[in-house]
Amino acid sequence: MAGTGMAPTDTAPFTLRRATGTLAESAAKLAGDIGATSVEALLAQANRTAVRRGASATMGGMKPRPADWYAFDVKDQATPDWYPQGVTCGEESGAFGAPVFLVTWYFKPDAGERGIRVSFLSPQTLRYRHALLVQATPDGSYAPIDIHAGGVACHGHLLYVADTVRGLRVFDLANLLDLRTVQNDLGDPARAGRADGRFHAFGYRYVIPQTDFWRVAQPGARFSFVSVDRSGPAPMLVTGEYLEDDPGGRVARWPLGLEGGAPADAYVLGQPKVQGALSWGGRWYMSQAADAATNGRLLVHDGGRVAARPYPIGPEDLTVQDGRLWSVTEFRNKRVVFGVAL
């Protein structure tokens, strides 16, 4: 279906209800048993190297090319198991001592579920490292989380991860846990959790337990992506819906903190295949996907009109850092974090 402009819509379907349950208590227990570290310390132990302006096939026929981009390493480019989806940054957080991009990935195979992970990438050193996002349990163990993780936003130390049909999962980066503080190895690479006095995380050194949950109050709304608008007097959390061939996907905005769970406003996007959306400076920006061989588009809604800009292949979630609009691409051998002018 053809796209149209954005239009206001009912906010009620996006109302959230807080559902912390035992999450905070279980995460605190796990953090007490393992011990927390910092994002800066993780970056100092980064074990992978990105390539500046690598994986150039991602750009397809895009002209001009992005202002800058960082490609994941050969192993992460080639894997058919993990797909990058969400992106946020240190500037969005405001809580880190160094520039950093955070990228969520989901595990695609049906068999041998490995959950979701987040990459911490330094644009200064080009070094990065993955950490496993987990759900802690009251008995002091934890388990992987089987969701799509289509978007991620960061405010302070809190990560908001999109859970498509349930709402927003929250992870506190103050609980970034380093397994090396309590054991000399990284445990069994084929399992995750606590067993026989040891911790396992599919071979990852770092785990981050979920601390909170904002669940959609009624079925129907989808949480496909998430971002933060920091251009106004107060930051706003933005979420929206991906619909394949239907321009009826919606987007909603909340004052950060999500007090009460009710959105401030909501709109019909008027465009199909929107993988990420962000309001900034009175404009709406939308990343629109195609397929693994076709360039996407950056759609900019400014009042009553929608303008299309060239974009790489496979664009996803959106964030803003250093005055640029950044996204991440998902397809094999075309996986980069890239920035363009706002």
PDB file of all heavy atoms in Angstrom, residues 13-17 147 149-151 160-170 210 212-218 221-226 237 239-240 254 258:
ATOM      1  N   PRO A  13      -4.408   2.581  23.165  1.00  0.00           N
ATOM      2  CA  PRO A  13      -3.846   1.243  22.933  1.00  0.00           C
ATOM      3  C   PRO A  13      -2.404   1.083  23.389  1.00  0.00           C
ATOM      4  O   PRO A  13      -1.932  -0.037  23.560  1.00  0.00           O
ATOM      5  CB  PRO A  13      -3.969   1.069  21.413  1.00  0.00           C
ATOM      6  CG  PRO A  13      -5.095   1.963  21.020  1.00  0.00           C
ATOM      7  CD  PRO A  13      -4.965   3.148  21.924  1.00  0.00           C
ATOM      8  N   PHE A  14      -1.680   2.202  23.579  1.00  0.00           N
ATOM      9  CA  PHE A  14      -0.276   2.123  23.983  1.00  0.00           C
ATOM     10  C   PHE A  14      -0.076   2.291  25.485  1.00  0.00           C
ATOM     11  O   PHE A  14       1.070   2.326  25.955  1.00  0.00           O
ATOM     12  CB  PHE A  14       0.537   3.179  23.233  1.00  0.00           C
ATOM     13  CG  PHE A  14       0.771   2.843  21.794  1.00  0.00           C
ATOM     14  CD1 PHE A  14      -0.095   3.288  20.808  1.00  0.00           C
ATOM     15  CD2 PHE A  14       1.846   2.058  21.417  1.00  0.00           C
ATOM     16  CE1 PHE A  14       0.110   2.971  19.475  1.00  0.00           C
ATOM     17  CE2 PHE A  14       2.062   1.726  20.097  1.00  0.00           C
ATOM     18  CZ  PHE A  14       1.187   2.182  19.121  1.00  0.00           C
ATOM     19  N   THR A  15      -1.136   2.388  26.246  1.00  0.00           N
ATOM     20  CA  THR A  15      -0.999   2.554  27.691  1.00  0.00           C
ATOM     21  C   THR A  15      -0.253   1.370  28.291  1.00  0.00           C
ATOM     22  O   THR A  15      -0.529   0.212  27.983  1.00  0.00           O
ATOM     23  CB  THR A  15      -2.374   2.688  28.356  1.00  0.00           C
ATOM     24  OG1 THR A  15      -3.033   3.838  27.814  1.00  0.00           O
ATOM     25  CG2 THR A  15      -2.241   2.856  29.854  1.00  0.00           C
ATOM     26  N   LEU A  16       0.704   1.671  29.170  1.00  0.00           N
ATOM     27  CA  LEU A  16       1.541   0.658  29.805  1.00  0.00           C
ATOM     28  C   LEU A  16       1.223   0.529  31.283  1.00  0.00           C
ATOM     29  O   LEU A  16       0.796   1.492  31.924  1.00  0.00           O
ATOM     30  CB  LEU A  16       3.023   1.010  29.629  1.00  0.00           C
ATOM     31  CG  LEU A  16       3.541   1.052  28.194  1.00  0.00           C
ATOM     32  CD1 LEU A  16       4.928   1.678  28.153  1.00  0.00           C
ATOM     33  CD2 LEU A  16       3.563  -0.332  27.576  1.00  0.00           C
ATOM     34  N   ARG A  17       1.440  -0.660  31.810  1.00  0.00           N
ATOM     35  CA  ARG A  17       1.297  -0.919  33.237  1.00  0.00           C
ATOM     36  C   ARG A  17       2.614  -1.495  33.756  1.00  0.00           C
ATOM     37  O   ARG A  17       3.171  -2.416  33.165  1.00  0.00           O
ATOM     38  CB  ARG A  17       0.156  -1.913  33.506  1.00  0.00           C
ATOM     39  CG  ARG A  17      -1.216  -1.385  33.120  1.00  0.00           C
ATOM     40  CD  ARG A  17      -1.720  -0.342  34.101  1.00  0.00           C
ATOM     41  NE  ARG A  17      -3.059   0.137  33.762  1.00  0.00           N
ATOM     42  CZ  ARG A  17      -3.316   1.233  33.073  1.00  0.00           C
ATOM     43  NH1 ARG A  17      -2.317   1.973  32.638  1.00  0.00           N
ATOM     44  NH2 ARG A  17      -4.549   1.599  32.809  1.00  0.00           N
ATOM     45  N   ILE A 147      13.165 -12.883  22.690  1.00  0.00           N
ATOM     46  CA  ILE A 147      12.363 -11.866  22.024  1.00  0.00           C
ATOM     47  C   ILE A 147      13.135 -11.337  20.823  1.00  0.00           C
ATOM     48  O   ILE A 147      14.300 -11.673  20.612  1.00  0.00           O
ATOM     49  CB  ILE A 147      11.980 -10.700  22.967  1.00  0.00           C
ATOM     50  CG1 ILE A 147      13.236  -9.969  23.473  1.00  0.00           C
ATOM     51  CG2 ILE A 147      11.127 -11.198  24.128  1.00  0.00           C
ATOM     52  CD1 ILE A 147      12.937  -8.694  24.260  1.00  0.00           C
ATOM     53  N   ALA A 149      13.807  -8.017  20.230  1.00  0.00           N
ATOM     54  CA  ALA A 149      14.648  -6.868  20.616  1.00  0.00           C
ATOM     55  C   ALA A 149      14.806  -5.892  19.460  1.00  0.00           C
ATOM     56  O   ALA A 149      15.907  -5.448  19.132  1.00  0.00           O
ATOM     57  CB  ALA A 149      16.011  -7.337  21.129  1.00  0.00           C
ATOM     58  N   GLY A 150      13.672  -5.528  18.835  1.00  0.00           N
ATOM     59  CA  GLY A 150      13.696  -4.711  17.625  1.00  0.00           C
ATOM     60  C   GLY A 150      14.165  -3.291  17.814  1.00  0.00           C
ATOM     61  O   GLY A 150      14.454  -2.602  16.835  1.00  0.00           O
ATOM     62  N   GLY A 151      14.234  -2.824  19.052  1.00  0.00           N
ATOM     63  CA  GLY A 151      14.717  -1.476  19.306  1.00  0.00           C
ATOM     64  C   GLY A 151      15.248  -1.346  20.710  1.00  0.00           C
ATOM     65  O   GLY A 151      14.880  -2.121  21.598  1.00  0.00           O
ATOM     66  N   TYR A 160      15.918   0.574  27.653  1.00  0.00           N
ATOM     67  CA  TYR A 160      14.553   0.180  27.332  1.00  0.00           C
ATOM     68  C   TYR A 160      14.611  -0.653  26.055  1.00  0.00           C
ATOM     69  O   TYR A 160      15.013  -0.156  24.998  1.00  0.00           O
ATOM     70  CB  TYR A 160      13.672   1.401  27.120  1.00  0.00           C
ATOM     71  CG  TYR A 160      13.495   2.254  28.357  1.00  0.00           C
ATOM     72  CD1 TYR A 160      14.426   3.247  28.680  1.00  0.00           C
ATOM     73  CD2 TYR A 160      12.418   2.067  29.207  1.00  0.00           C
ATOM     74  CE1 TYR A 160      14.275   4.032  29.815  1.00  0.00           C
ATOM     75  CE2 TYR A 160      12.249   2.852  30.347  1.00  0.00           C
ATOM     76  CZ  TYR A 160      13.182   3.829  30.640  1.00  0.00           C
ATOM     77  OH  TYR A 160      13.023   4.605  31.764  1.00  0.00           O
ATOM     78  N   VAL A 161      14.224  -1.922  26.154  1.00  0.00           N
ATOM     79  CA  VAL A 161      14.305  -2.839  25.014  1.00  0.00           C
ATOM     80  C   VAL A 161      12.895  -3.215  24.582  1.00  0.00           C
ATOM     81  O   VAL A 161      12.067  -3.631  25.403  1.00  0.00           O
ATOM     82  CB  VAL A 161      15.108  -4.104  25.374  1.00  0.00           C
ATOM     83  CG1 VAL A 161      15.111  -5.088  24.207  1.00  0.00           C
ATOM     84  CG2 VAL A 161      16.542  -3.723  25.747  1.00  0.00           C
ATOM     85  N   ALA A 162      12.623  -3.063  23.290  1.00  0.00           N
ATOM     86  CA  ALA A 162      11.289  -3.357  22.760  1.00  0.00           C
ATOM     87  C   ALA A 162      11.009  -4.855  22.803  1.00  0.00           C
ATOM     88  O   ALA A 162      11.807  -5.662  22.330  1.00  0.00           O
ATOM     89  CB  ALA A 162      11.178  -2.843  21.329  1.00  0.00           C
ATOM     90  N   ASP A 163       9.867  -5.218  23.378  1.00  0.00           N
ATOM     91  CA  ASP A 163       9.343  -6.587  23.377  1.00  0.00           C
ATOM     92  C   ASP A 163       8.048  -6.534  22.574  1.00  0.00           C
ATOM     93  O   ASP A 163       7.028  -6.031  23.040  1.00  0.00           O
ATOM     94  CB  ASP A 163       9.096  -7.048  24.814  1.00  0.00           C
ATOM     95  CG  ASP A 163       8.650  -8.500  24.895  1.00  0.00           C
ATOM     96  OD1 ASP A 163       8.037  -8.995  23.925  1.00  0.00           O
ATOM     97  OD2 ASP A 163       8.879  -9.140  25.940  1.00  0.00           O
ATOM     98  N   THR A 164       8.048  -7.046  21.368  1.00  0.00           N
ATOM     99  CA  THR A 164       7.074  -6.741  20.331  1.00  0.00           C
ATOM    100  C   THR A 164       5.623  -6.712  20.800  1.00  0.00           C
ATOM    101  O   THR A 164       4.905  -5.747  20.553  1.00  0.00           O
ATOM    102  CB  THR A 164       7.214  -7.724  19.163  1.00  0.00           C
ATOM    103  OG1 THR A 164       8.589  -7.815  18.783  1.00  0.00           O
ATOM    104  CG2 THR A 164       6.378  -7.270  17.975  1.00  0.00           C
ATOM    105  N   VAL A 165       5.153  -7.749  21.456  1.00  0.00           N
ATOM    106  CA  VAL A 165       3.741  -7.810  21.820  1.00  0.00           C
ATOM    107  C   VAL A 165       3.491  -7.543  23.295  1.00  0.00           C
ATOM    108  O   VAL A 165       2.337  -7.460  23.729  1.00  0.00           O
ATOM    109  CB  VAL A 165       3.122  -9.174  21.433  1.00  0.00           C
ATOM    110  CG1 VAL A 165       3.162  -9.363  19.933  1.00  0.00           C
ATOM    111  CG2 VAL A 165       3.825 -10.322  22.144  1.00  0.00           C
ATOM    112  N   ARG A 166       4.570  -7.369  24.092  1.00  0.00           N
ATOM    113  CA  ARG A 166       4.391  -7.211  25.535  1.00  0.00           C
ATOM    114  C   ARG A 166       4.652  -5.797  26.028  1.00  0.00           C
ATOM    115  O   ARG A 166       4.088  -5.392  27.030  1.00  0.00           O
ATOM    116  CB  ARG A 166       5.298  -8.193  26.282  1.00  0.00           C
ATOM    117  CG  ARG A 166       4.991  -9.662  25.973  1.00  0.00           C
ATOM    118  CD  ARG A 166       5.961 -10.577  26.709  1.00  0.00           C
ATOM    119  NE  ARG A 166       5.793 -11.959  26.323  1.00  0.00           N
ATOM    120  CZ  ARG A 166       6.435 -12.546  25.311  1.00  0.00           C
ATOM    121  NH1 ARG A 166       7.302 -11.847  24.594  1.00  0.00           N
ATOM    122  NH2 ARG A 166       6.224 -13.808  25.028  1.00  0.00           N
ATOM    123  N   GLY A 167       5.535  -5.052  25.382  1.00  0.00           N
ATOM    124  CA  GLY A 167       5.824  -3.702  25.849  1.00  0.00           C
ATOM    125  C   GLY A 167       7.301  -3.411  25.881  1.00  0.00           C
ATOM    126  O   GLY A 167       8.010  -3.602  24.887  1.00  0.00           O
ATOM    127  N   LEU A 168       7.798  -2.946  27.024  1.00  0.00           N
ATOM    128  CA  LEU A 168       9.187  -2.532  27.153  1.00  0.00           C
ATOM    129  C   LEU A 168       9.847  -3.223  28.339  1.00  0.00           C
ATOM    130  O   LEU A 168       9.382  -3.111  29.477  1.00  0.00           O
ATOM    131  CB  LEU A 168       9.271  -1.019  27.350  1.00  0.00           C
ATOM    132  CG  LEU A 168       8.817  -0.154  26.179  1.00  0.00           C
ATOM    133  CD1 LEU A 168       8.667   1.299  26.619  1.00  0.00           C
ATOM    134  CD2 LEU A 168       9.796  -0.255  25.022  1.00  0.00           C
ATOM    135  N   ARG A 169      10.940  -3.928  28.086  1.00  0.00           N
ATOM    136  CA  ARG A 169      11.751  -4.514  29.152  1.00  0.00           C
ATOM    137  C   ARG A 169      12.838  -3.512  29.524  1.00  0.00           C
ATOM    138  O   ARG A 169      13.400  -2.842  28.653  1.00  0.00           O
ATOM    139  CB  ARG A 169      12.377  -5.832  28.706  1.00  0.00           C
ATOM    140  CG  ARG A 169      11.353  -6.933  28.457  1.00  0.00           C
ATOM    141  CD  ARG A 169      12.007  -8.202  27.989  1.00  0.00           C
ATOM    142  NE  ARG A 169      11.039  -9.240  27.669  1.00  0.00           N
ATOM    143  CZ  ARG A 169      10.804 -10.307  28.420  1.00  0.00           C
ATOM    144  NH1 ARG A 169      11.489 -10.489  29.547  1.00  0.00           N
ATOM    145  NH2 ARG A 169       9.908 -11.198  28.049  1.00  0.00           N
ATOM    146  N   VAL A 170      13.138  -3.416  30.812  1.00  0.00           N
ATOM    147  CA  VAL A 170      14.090  -2.426  31.304  1.00  0.00           C
ATOM    148  C   VAL A 170      15.281  -3.144  31.947  1.00  0.00           C
ATOM    149  O   VAL A 170      15.104  -4.074  32.743  1.00  0.00           O
ATOM    150  CB  VAL A 170      13.438  -1.479  32.324  1.00  0.00           C
ATOM    151  CG1 VAL A 170      14.431  -0.396  32.753  1.00  0.00           C
ATOM    152  CG2 VAL A 170      12.173  -0.846  31.741  1.00  0.00           C
ATOM    153  N   GLN A 210      17.483  -8.141  33.662  1.00  0.00           N
ATOM    154  CA  GLN A 210      16.332  -7.247  33.575  1.00  0.00           C
ATOM    155  C   GLN A 210      15.897  -6.818  34.975  1.00  0.00           C
ATOM    156  O   GLN A 210      15.845  -7.633  35.895  1.00  0.00           O
ATOM    157  CB  GLN A 210      15.177  -7.954  32.868  1.00  0.00           C
ATOM    158  CG  GLN A 210      13.953  -7.094  32.645  1.00  0.00           C
ATOM    159  CD  GLN A 210      12.842  -7.836  31.916  1.00  0.00           C
ATOM    160  OE1 GLN A 210      13.073  -8.897  31.322  1.00  0.00           O
ATOM    161  NE2 GLN A 210      11.637  -7.298  31.962  1.00  0.00           N
ATOM    162  N   ASP A 212      13.104  -4.317  35.338  1.00  0.00           N
ATOM    163  CA  ASP A 212      11.739  -3.798  35.340  1.00  0.00           C
ATOM    164  C   ASP A 212      11.039  -4.185  34.039  1.00  0.00           C
ATOM    165  O   ASP A 212      11.688  -4.648  33.093  1.00  0.00           O
ATOM    166  CB  ASP A 212      11.753  -2.272  35.511  1.00  0.00           C
ATOM    167  CG  ASP A 212      10.550  -1.744  36.295  1.00  0.00           C
ATOM    168  OD1 ASP A 212       9.566  -2.496  36.459  1.00  0.00           O
ATOM    169  OD2 ASP A 212      10.604  -0.586  36.743  1.00  0.00           O
ATOM    170  N   PHE A 213       9.728  -3.978  34.002  1.00  0.00           N
ATOM    171  CA  PHE A 213       8.916  -4.352  32.846  1.00  0.00           C
ATOM    172  C   PHE A 213       7.724  -3.410  32.779  1.00  0.00           C
ATOM    173  O   PHE A 213       7.006  -3.233  33.761  1.00  0.00           O
ATOM    174  CB  PHE A 213       8.425  -5.802  33.009  1.00  0.00           C
ATOM    175  CG  PHE A 213       8.169  -6.534  31.723  1.00  0.00           C
ATOM    176  CD1 PHE A 213       8.147  -7.925  31.713  1.00  0.00           C
ATOM    177  CD2 PHE A 213       7.940  -5.878  30.533  1.00  0.00           C
ATOM    178  CE1 PHE A 213       7.919  -8.636  30.546  1.00  0.00           C
ATOM    179  CE2 PHE A 213       7.712  -6.566  29.356  1.00  0.00           C
ATOM    180  CZ  PHE A 213       7.699  -7.956  29.363  1.00  0.00           C
ATOM    181  N   TRP A 214       7.537  -2.760  31.630  1.00  0.00           N
ATOM    182  CA  TRP A 214       6.335  -1.982  31.365  1.00  0.00           C
ATOM    183  C   TRP A 214       5.530  -2.732  30.314  1.00  0.00           C
ATOM    184  O   TRP A 214       5.906  -2.780  29.147  1.00  0.00           O
ATOM    185  CB  TRP A 214       6.691  -0.578  30.880  1.00  0.00           C
ATOM    186  CG  TRP A 214       7.220   0.296  31.965  1.00  0.00           C
ATOM    187  CD1 TRP A 214       8.519   0.445  32.357  1.00  0.00           C
ATOM    188  CD2 TRP A 214       6.453   1.146  32.820  1.00  0.00           C
ATOM    189  NE1 TRP A 214       8.616   1.334  33.402  1.00  0.00           N
ATOM    190  CE2 TRP A 214       7.358   1.790  33.705  1.00  0.00           C
ATOM    191  CE3 TRP A 214       5.086   1.438  32.939  1.00  0.00           C
ATOM    192  CZ2 TRP A 214       6.937   2.699  34.680  1.00  0.00           C
ATOM    193  CZ3 TRP A 214       4.683   2.343  33.899  1.00  0.00           C
ATOM    194  CH2 TRP A 214       5.592   2.961  34.754  1.00  0.00           C
ATOM    195  N   ARG A 215       4.437  -3.344  30.755  1.00  0.00           N
ATOM    196  CA  ARG A 215       3.620  -4.186  29.883  1.00  0.00           C
ATOM    197  C   ARG A 215       2.454  -3.409  29.283  1.00  0.00           C
ATOM    198  O   ARG A 215       1.847  -2.564  29.946  1.00  0.00           O
ATOM    199  CB  ARG A 215       3.069  -5.389  30.652  1.00  0.00           C
ATOM    200  CG  ARG A 215       4.101  -6.483  30.925  1.00  0.00           C
ATOM    201  CD  ARG A 215       3.441  -7.669  31.619  1.00  0.00           C
ATOM    202  NE  ARG A 215       4.317  -8.805  31.733  1.00  0.00           N
ATOM    203  CZ  ARG A 215       4.411  -9.790  30.836  1.00  0.00           C
ATOM    204  NH1 ARG A 215       3.662  -9.751  29.756  1.00  0.00           N
ATOM    205  NH2 ARG A 215       5.237 -10.796  31.026  1.00  0.00           N
ATOM    206  N   VAL A 216       2.164  -3.705  28.018  1.00  0.00           N
ATOM    207  CA  VAL A 216       1.025  -3.075  27.371  1.00  0.00           C
ATOM    208  C   VAL A 216      -0.256  -3.505  28.088  1.00  0.00           C
ATOM    209  O   VAL A 216      -0.430  -4.661  28.453  1.00  0.00           O
ATOM    210  CB  VAL A 216       0.987  -3.430  25.869  1.00  0.00           C
ATOM    211  CG1 VAL A 216       0.760  -4.909  25.638  1.00  0.00           C
ATOM    212  CG2 VAL A 216      -0.037  -2.593  25.136  1.00  0.00           C
ATOM    213  N   ALA A 217      -1.131  -2.530  28.358  1.00  0.00           N
ATOM    214  CA  ALA A 217      -2.314  -2.783  29.185  1.00  0.00           C
ATOM    215  C   ALA A 217      -3.364  -3.621  28.476  1.00  0.00           C
ATOM    216  O   ALA A 217      -4.119  -4.363  29.116  1.00  0.00           O
ATOM    217  CB  ALA A 217      -2.925  -1.461  29.640  1.00  0.00           C
ATOM    218  N   GLN A 218      -3.434  -3.518  27.154  1.00  0.00           N
ATOM    219  CA  GLN A 218      -4.402  -4.306  26.398  1.00  0.00           C
ATOM    220  C   GLN A 218      -3.743  -4.812  25.125  1.00  0.00           C
ATOM    221  O   GLN A 218      -2.882  -4.134  24.562  1.00  0.00           O
ATOM    222  CB  GLN A 218      -5.645  -3.471  26.060  1.00  0.00           C
ATOM    223  CG  GLN A 218      -5.360  -2.245  25.202  1.00  0.00           C
ATOM    224  CD  GLN A 218      -6.578  -1.362  25.027  1.00  0.00           C
ATOM    225  OE1 GLN A 218      -7.291  -1.053  25.979  1.00  0.00           O
ATOM    226  NE2 GLN A 218      -6.831  -0.940  23.798  1.00  0.00           N
ATOM    227  N   ALA A 221      -1.376  -3.276  20.476  1.00  0.00           N
ATOM    228  CA  ALA A 221      -0.254  -2.415  20.110  1.00  0.00           C
ATOM    229  C   ALA A 221       1.028  -3.225  20.010  1.00  0.00           C
ATOM    230  O   ALA A 221       1.243  -4.174  20.762  1.00  0.00           O
ATOM    231  CB  ALA A 221      -0.093  -1.294  21.131  1.00  0.00           C
ATOM    232  N   ARG A 222       1.889  -2.842  19.086  1.00  0.00           N
ATOM    233  CA  ARG A 222       3.164  -3.520  18.907  1.00  0.00           C
ATOM    234  C   ARG A 222       4.306  -2.555  19.249  1.00  0.00           C
ATOM    235  O   ARG A 222       4.227  -1.360  18.986  1.00  0.00           O
ATOM    236  CB  ARG A 222       3.318  -4.009  17.455  1.00  0.00           C
ATOM    237  CG  ARG A 222       2.307  -5.065  17.075  1.00  0.00           C
ATOM    238  CD  ARG A 222       2.397  -5.414  15.594  1.00  0.00           C
ATOM    239  NE  ARG A 222       3.641  -6.050  15.233  1.00  0.00           N
ATOM    240  CZ  ARG A 222       3.907  -7.349  15.382  1.00  0.00           C
ATOM    241  NH1 ARG A 222       2.989  -8.150  15.905  1.00  0.00           N
ATOM    242  NH2 ARG A 222       5.063  -7.856  15.011  1.00  0.00           N
ATOM    243  N   PHE A 223       5.362  -3.118  19.833  1.00  0.00           N
ATOM    244  CA  PHE A 223       6.538  -2.340  20.215  1.00  0.00           C
ATOM    245  C   PHE A 223       7.711  -2.864  19.389  1.00  0.00           C
ATOM    246  O   PHE A 223       8.467  -3.709  19.829  1.00  0.00           O
ATOM    247  CB  PHE A 223       6.776  -2.451  21.716  1.00  0.00           C
ATOM    248  CG  PHE A 223       5.747  -1.713  22.532  1.00  0.00           C
ATOM    249  CD1 PHE A 223       4.454  -2.195  22.647  1.00  0.00           C
ATOM    250  CD2 PHE A 223       6.068  -0.513  23.154  1.00  0.00           C
ATOM    251  CE1 PHE A 223       3.495  -1.511  23.375  1.00  0.00           C
ATOM    252  CE2 PHE A 223       5.114   0.184  23.885  1.00  0.00           C
ATOM    253  CZ  PHE A 223       3.826  -0.321  23.987  1.00  0.00           C
ATOM    254  N   SER A 224       7.808  -2.345  18.162  1.00  0.00           N
ATOM    255  CA  SER A 224       8.800  -2.841  17.210  1.00  0.00           C
ATOM    256  C   SER A 224      10.136  -2.127  17.327  1.00  0.00           C
ATOM    257  O   SER A 224      11.170  -2.684  16.969  1.00  0.00           O
ATOM    258  CB  SER A 224       8.270  -2.684  15.779  1.00  0.00           C
ATOM    259  OG  SER A 224       7.039  -3.354  15.607  1.00  0.00           O
ATOM    260  N   PHE A 225      10.127  -0.869  17.791  1.00  0.00           N
ATOM    261  CA  PHE A 225      11.363  -0.096  17.916  1.00  0.00           C
ATOM    262  C   PHE A 225      11.159   0.946  19.004  1.00  0.00           C
ATOM    263  O   PHE A 225      10.032   1.206  19.446  1.00  0.00           O
ATOM    264  CB  PHE A 225      11.751   0.558  16.583  1.00  0.00           C
ATOM    265  CG  PHE A 225      10.617   1.231  15.863  1.00  0.00           C
ATOM    266  CD1 PHE A 225      10.218   2.512  16.202  1.00  0.00           C
ATOM    267  CD2 PHE A 225       9.938   0.587  14.835  1.00  0.00           C
ATOM    268  CE1 PHE A 225       9.182   3.146  15.544  1.00  0.00           C
ATOM    269  CE2 PHE A 225       8.892   1.202  14.162  1.00  0.00           C
ATOM    270  CZ  PHE A 225       8.509   2.490  14.523  1.00  0.00           C
ATOM    271  N   VAL A 226      12.262   1.567  19.434  1.00  0.00           N
ATOM    272  CA  VAL A 226      12.192   2.540  20.531  1.00  0.00           C
ATOM    273  C   VAL A 226      13.369   3.506  20.423  1.00  0.00           C
ATOM    274  O   VAL A 226      14.459   3.129  19.975  1.00  0.00           O
ATOM    275  CB  VAL A 226      12.157   1.826  21.906  1.00  0.00           C
ATOM    276  CG1 VAL A 226      13.378   0.953  22.107  1.00  0.00           C
ATOM    277  CG2 VAL A 226      12.026   2.814  23.055  1.00  0.00           C
ATOM    278  N   LEU A 237      10.279   9.375  25.369  1.00  0.00           N
ATOM    279  CA  LEU A 237      10.500   8.025  24.853  1.00  0.00           C
ATOM    280  C   LEU A 237       9.549   7.788  23.689  1.00  0.00           C
ATOM    281  O   LEU A 237       8.351   8.086  23.788  1.00  0.00           O
ATOM    282  CB  LEU A 237      10.250   6.998  25.954  1.00  0.00           C
ATOM    283  CG  LEU A 237      10.676   5.565  25.642  1.00  0.00           C
ATOM    284  CD1 LEU A 237      12.195   5.450  25.674  1.00  0.00           C
ATOM    285  CD2 LEU A 237      10.056   4.587  26.636  1.00  0.00           C
ATOM    286  N   THR A 239       8.101   5.000  20.811  1.00  0.00           N
ATOM    287  CA  THR A 239       8.019   3.627  20.327  1.00  0.00           C
ATOM    288  C   THR A 239       7.083   3.579  19.121  1.00  0.00           C
ATOM    289  O   THR A 239       6.276   4.485  18.913  1.00  0.00           O
ATOM    290  CB  THR A 239       7.477   2.638  21.387  1.00  0.00           C
ATOM    291  OG1 THR A 239       6.059   2.762  21.484  1.00  0.00           O
ATOM    292  CG2 THR A 239       8.111   2.881  22.746  1.00  0.00           C
ATOM    293  N   GLY A 240       7.208   2.517  18.337  1.00  0.00           N
ATOM    294  CA  GLY A 240       6.343   2.417  17.168  1.00  0.00           C
ATOM    295  C   GLY A 240       6.225   1.007  16.644  1.00  0.00           C
ATOM    296  O   GLY A 240       6.876   0.083  17.130  1.00  0.00           O
ATOM    297  N   TRP A 254       6.109   9.043  25.196  1.00  0.00           N
ATOM    298  CA  TRP A 254       5.884   9.172  26.640  1.00  0.00           C
ATOM    299  C   TRP A 254       6.899  10.135  27.246  1.00  0.00           C
ATOM    300  O   TRP A 254       8.067  10.134  26.829  1.00  0.00           O
ATOM    301  CB  TRP A 254       6.101   7.834  27.349  1.00  0.00           C
ATOM    302  CG  TRP A 254       5.087   6.779  27.141  1.00  0.00           C
ATOM    303  CD1 TRP A 254       4.068   6.423  27.978  1.00  0.00           C
ATOM    304  CD2 TRP A 254       5.005   5.865  26.044  1.00  0.00           C
ATOM    305  NE1 TRP A 254       3.360   5.363  27.465  1.00  0.00           N
ATOM    306  CE2 TRP A 254       3.924   5.007  26.275  1.00  0.00           C
ATOM    307  CE3 TRP A 254       5.754   5.716  24.867  1.00  0.00           C
ATOM    308  CZ2 TRP A 254       3.556   3.992  25.386  1.00  0.00           C
ATOM    309  CZ3 TRP A 254       5.390   4.718  23.988  1.00  0.00           C
ATOM    310  CH2 TRP A 254       4.301   3.872  24.257  1.00  0.00           C
ATOM    311  N   LEU A 258       8.021   7.315  32.371  1.00  0.00           N
ATOM    312  CA  LEU A 258       6.788   6.571  32.069  1.00  0.00           C
ATOM    313  C   LEU A 258       5.757   6.642  33.194  1.00  0.00           C
ATOM    314  O   LEU A 258       4.914   5.753  33.304  1.00  0.00           O
ATOM    315  CB  LEU A 258       7.112   5.100  31.756  1.00  0.00           C
ATOM    316  CG  LEU A 258       8.060   4.841  30.591  1.00  0.00           C
ATOM    317  CD1 LEU A 258       8.316   3.352  30.432  1.00  0.00           C
ATOM    318  CD2 LEU A 258       7.499   5.410  29.299  1.00  0.00           C
TER     319      LEU A 258
END
